[in-house]
Structures are given as structure tokens and as C-alpha cells.
DNA sequence: TTCTTGACTTATGTATACATTAGTATCTTC
DNA sequence: GAAGATACTAATGTATACATAAGTCAAGAA
């Protein structure tokens, strides 16, 4: 796992636990428990929890501890609204700033995405999630604006909580075989390659909104 | 100072030190020094530094410590670009979501702003900065979107580093007596009151851009 | 029975002691 | 005299011990 300090190890471990649906919204994360289960002292765990709170992935009440934020339809709308617009902004910036190599990288990801084997299996889902994340975060990075990138990352991760929570999303997607992701990804990459800022922004917004709507079709 | 724990105390103290121009970009912040000068143990100081790093107000190298991020014209452009668009977004949302009480509060702030006494003095500058911050962060809050608010807060604070660093800004503003802030603030408040989302967004963008241009007219 | 009080439990809050490592300066050797 | 190794220093990284406070449960009095 490369040479990393325990703070970071704890941070990633906890994020993983959250994303892997190990906790439910409202659950309390105890420093003591976590440190025991991770085989660390409380110090790095506490530090990691502090980060997560600062980043808005956890909530906290004084002397009461950290807990997984409650997922509500309203909150979901808020994250996705933010994601839609900020990622749109990043896509526009990327269309302006991305290098040829950057664009190539995007096409590479789309290629991988299209070659995912055995749709419907758990492994294929994980792979798809991974590629999807790489695609979105790459565009954020290609905006070459550290702040936009930071906000994109945050909103993306935060929205992932919902995606993992309502796991049915990926199930339903693969069920009807109509995975709109890759197609939309391709269009976005094209717009970036053509340096068409407005189109890139528009398509990215639409793409994020599609994701949201497919997720929350039942709300 | 109300009932607050030391983590928070340290956090605010350090932020103050930074904003009060106590450090210059590139300066290293030592846990040991800070804890001594604040009369605390390293633990809460370390925690506070962790937060500040997580929020992007400080940079860090492993085992090397925290340091004030270097200010570059490019970075300034990035922060203000992000601020411009995200605060614009927040203003649009505010025009949709703000309550009548919210709008009243904004007008109250503008009132205070217009009544600032003895322009040019240090005290008046501080007061102006405070009201300005309240105005911008209030609009962020009135968007009623926790994520937008968070990103606005971040970008705003981060841009403040530049404003304090190039203190000349406020000097020059008060020198030529042409403080465009309050007038633009009023227009924005009007747009929000009239529920004109597009106008609110447009005006807010313009306002942030004006600030930037007045700050960096020399770059 | 119910309300109040108080002790107990358990978790966070805080300080400090110890470990580790990056950087530096000095000493030795060629 | 120059280069490299080694010991030293000063900072962060980590663990742990102790302090404090919130919540709980039980016991006793009204």
C-alpha cells in the first residue's frame, strides 16, 4: 500500500467502510471501536475523523461523536444540483485547458468502459464505478483549476454515498441493458476534444442530471 | 468566548493569525511554536492544522510541516474564477429560495455598510470587511443548499487571503472614494428580492469579477 | 408509582511521553 | 581539502494515560 502514514491509512479505511455500505446513515462511528478494528491507536483515527468532518462526509455533535449524515431526498437533490453545475463548469474549463494527452486519456477510459465484461456481475459493477469515477475526476483535474477540482471531487464523493446506498441503481441499469453512461461520456469527450466549452458544459450537466434521475426515479 | 473546545479555539486562532497577515506565503507553521504561543498542547493545534489542510487553507509536506500556500497570480485567478461562478450560482438559488426575512437581512447589511464612519481608517476597513463577508456568506446560506454554501465559504475565505495580502486594495478603494461594493450589493439584493434568478446570478458574477479586477489591476 | 438524585459507564477532550525521520553539522578518511 | 559517513537536532508521527462530560440506571423519598 505504498509508504503512507497512519492518518492517511485510517482516512482511506474509514472512507472505504462508508462507501462499502458498512454503516447506515445515522450510525455513530466510535473512535474506540474504529481504532480497535483497524489495529491503530485513537490518535490517527481521530485525525481521520476530523478530516472527514471538515470535508462534510461526516457530521458531529460535541462530545457525542461522529455519525453518518442522514440521507434525505432533499440532500440528494442538493448534492446533485451542486454536482451538475460545478462539474458542468469544470467540463467547460476542461474544453479550454485540456491537453491532447488529456483527451486521449478520456477516450482510453471510455474504451475500457465499453469493454466491461459480464455485465450484471458484482465485479463488473465495481469496475464500472471505478472507471466512472476516473472519468469524472479526470475532467475535474483537466479544468486545471484546483478549486473547481476540489469541489467536484467533494460533490462527486458525496453523491457516491447515495449511489452506493441505493445500490439498485447499478442493478436496474444493467438490467435493461440501457447504460447511458458510456454514450454520454463519449459525447462529452468529443465536445472537449473540439474545444466546445458550451457544449461540454451542457452535456456534462445533462449527464449528471440523468444519473440523478435514474437514481431517484422513485422519489 | 462562549463554551468551545480547544480544537475550535486553536482553529480560529490560527485562521486569525493567517488573515491578520501574521505569516507570509511560504512560511512554515510549527506545531510546537503555535501550541506554545497559544498556551495549548500540541494535540488541539495539530487537529486544527489538520482541518486547515483538509480545507485547503494550508499546504503540507510529509514530516515537513504545514506552510502557507504560495500566492500566485494564477492561483488568484483560479480562486476568483471559482468564486465568480459558484457565488453566482448561489445567488440564483437564493433568488429562488430566500425568505422575506432573508432579504430584509441583506438590506440591513447594506444599510450598515453605507453608514460606515471615517472611511480610510483601519477600524472602518475591518468593519467593511466584516460586513462584506456577512453579505456574501449570507447569500450562500440563503441558497439553502449546504454544498453550494460550503464551496462558497471556502472560495470566499481563500480569496480573502489575497485581499488581506494585497492590503492596498482597501486602501485604494477608500482613496478614490469610489467604493463599488455597496452599490453592487444593493443591486444584487434587489434582484434577489424580485426573484430574478438570472439577474442575481449575472450581477453576482460581475461583482466578484470587479473585486478581482480592482485587486489585481497590476498583474 | 413517579420523580429526583447520584453514582457509574463510556465516549470524547486534552496532555504528554516516546518513536521516527529528515535535515544538518561534524568528524574521519582518502 | 573534499567527500562521505555518522551522530545529533528538531520537527512530526504515534500511543497512551488521564480529565471531563453526557447519558443511563438504580435506589430512595415523596
Amino acid at each position: 500500500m505504498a509508504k503512507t502514514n497512519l492518518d492517511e491509512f485510517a482516512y482511506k479505511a474509514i472512507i472505504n467502510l462508508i462507501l462499502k455500505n458498512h454503516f447506515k446513515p445515522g450510525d455513530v462511528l466510535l473512535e474506540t471501536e474504529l481504532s480497535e478494528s483497524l489495529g491503530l491507536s485513537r490518535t490517527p483515527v481521530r485525525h481521520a475523523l476530523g478530516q472527514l468532518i471538515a470535508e462534510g462526509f461526516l457530521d458531529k455533535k460535541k462530545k457525542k461523536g461522529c455519525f453518518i449524515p442522514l440521507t434525505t431526498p432533499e440532500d440528494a437533490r442538493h448534492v446533485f444540483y451542486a454536482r451538475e453545475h460545478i462539474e458542468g463548469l469544470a467540463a467547460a474549463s476542461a474544453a479550454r485547458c485540456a491537453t491532447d494527452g488529456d483527451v486521449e486519456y478520456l477516450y482510453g477510459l471510455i474504451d475500457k468502459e465499453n469493454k466491461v465484461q459480464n455485465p450484471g456481475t458484482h465485479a463488473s459493477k465495481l469496475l464500472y464505478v471505478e472507471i466512472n469515477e476516473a472519468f469524472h475526476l479526470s475532467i475535474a483535474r483537466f479544468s486545471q483549476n484546483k478549486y473547481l477540482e476540489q469541489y467536484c471531487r467533494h460533490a462527486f464523493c458525496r453523491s457516491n454515498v447515495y449511489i452506493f446506498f441505493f445500490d439498485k441503481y447499478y442493478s436496474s441499469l444493467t438490467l435493461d441493458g440501457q447504460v447511458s453512461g458510456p454514450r454520454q461520456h463519449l459525447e462529452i469527450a468529443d465536445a472537449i476534444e473540439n474545444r466546445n466549452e458550451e457544449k461540454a458544459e451542457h452535456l456534462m450537466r445533462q449527464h449528471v442530471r440523468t444519473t440523478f434521475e435514474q437514481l431517484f426515479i422513485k422519489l
Side-chain angles (χ1 to χ4, degrees), chain A residues 105-143:
Chain A
Y105 180 74
L106 289 182
Y107 282 122
L109 287 176
I110 295 169
D111 238 36
K112 271 198 209 166
E113 209 168 23
N114 285 321
K115 282 180 189 148
V116 172
Q117 300 289 328
N118 307 322
T121 63
H122 186 64
S124 75
K125 273 188 221 172
L126 286 182
L127 192 54
Y128 180 67
V129 168
E130 194 182 314
I131 297 172
N132 185 58
E133 172 169 333
F135 183 82
H136 283 268
L137 298 188
S138 294
I139 289 182
R141 197 168 62 250
F142 299 160
S143 75

Side-chain angles (χ1 to χ4, degrees), chain A residues 37 46 55 84 93 100 107 115 167 178 184 190 219:
Chain A
S37 77
R46 188 176 167 74
E55 292 168 1
E84 178 183 330
S93 284
D100 292 348
Y107 282 122
K115 282 180 189 148
D167 186 41
Q178 175 248 7
Q184 295 188 329
D190 284 344
L219 298 184

Side-chain angles (χ1 to χ4, degrees), chain A residues 35-127:
Chain A
S35 57
E36 259 179 59
S37 77
L38 297 177
L40 304 172
S41 85
R42 269 180 56 214
T43 308
V45 170
R46 188 176 167 74
H47 194 83
L49 289 174
Q51 311 280 100
L52 291 165
I53 290 160
E55 292 168 1
F57 290 115
L58 292 176
D59 282 347
K60 175 184 189 180
K61 273 177 190 161
K62 282 191 189 201
K63 205 81 182 177
K64 184 90 198 284
C66 312
F67 55 94
I68 309 281
L70 298 175
T71 55
T72 65
E74 202 192 1
D75 182 69
R77 273 205 316 278
H78 290 166
V79 203
F80 275 93
Y81 183 85
R83 251 195 83 184
E84 178 183 330
H85 286 86
I86 297 173
E87 284 203 46
L89 213 55
S93 284
R96 202 177 335 117
C97 306
T99 67
D100 292 348
D102 292 343
V103 176
E104 215 166 303
Y105 180 74
L106 289 182
Y107 282 122
L109 287 176
I110 295 169
D111 238 36
K112 271 198 209 166
E113 209 168 23
N114 285 321
K115 282 180 189 148
V116 172
Q117 300 289 328
N118 307 322
T121 63
H122 186 64
S124 75
K125 273 188 221 172
L126 286 182
L127 192 54

